Amino acid sequence: RRLLKQLPDTDHPGSALYVLLGELCCQLGRYEEARAALARAGTAPDYRLWYYLGLCQLQAGARQDARRSFAQAVRHLHPDIATLRLAEMSRVLQGRS
């Protein structure tokens, strides 16, 4: 909240700021606050929104909701990044064999 107050135009923070606030709250173990912040982010196409929402849902015992949120997070990963990560993992695993 202090971060949001320091930024200009705090009356209308964008979804990216709510995702950041949700991420920070989640990392601090303040899952209810994180969930509320993430809900204010709307349905932004940001994998972090869905990932941290999934973590909050897990903490609340809503496993099915968490599973859907994690699936949504994967859908919002940039395909080039996902491909690069998989190629990187493959190279590492082949090097170990």
Side-chain angles (χ1 to χ4, degrees):
R1 286 189 203 131
R2 279 184 256 137
L3 174 64
L4 286 176
K5 288 178 184 176
Q6 293 173 12
L7 296 172
D9 193 19
T10 56
D11 290 336
H12 304 290
S15 63
L17 291 177
Y18 283 117
V19 171
L20 178 60
L21 180 60
E23 179 180 346
L24 293 172
C25 288
C26 200
Q27 290 178 4
L28 293 171
R30 299 168 79 167
Y31 296 102
E32 191 55 38
E33 286 181 65
R35 190 204 52 75
L38 294 168
R40 295 192 69 184
T43 57
D46 184 335
Y47 76 93
R48 295 172 308 144
L49 164 66
W50 301 102
Y51 173 75
Y52 286 105
L53 182 60
L55 290 181
C56 292
Q57 291 163 333
L58 275 180
Q59 287 296 317
R63 297 178 75 74
Q64 291 297 335
D65 291 337
R67 189 171 298 161
R68 282 189 290 274
S69 292
F70 290 137
Q72 192 75 347
V74 170
R75 280 188 213 103
H76 287 292
L77 283 173
H78 191 285
D80 292 341
I81 293 172
T83 301
L84 287 172
R85 294 284 188 221
L86 289 172
E88 186 178 309
M89 284 179 15
S90 176
R91 276 196 312 275
V92 169
L93 291 174
Q94 289 174 2
R96 290 185 186 179
S97 301

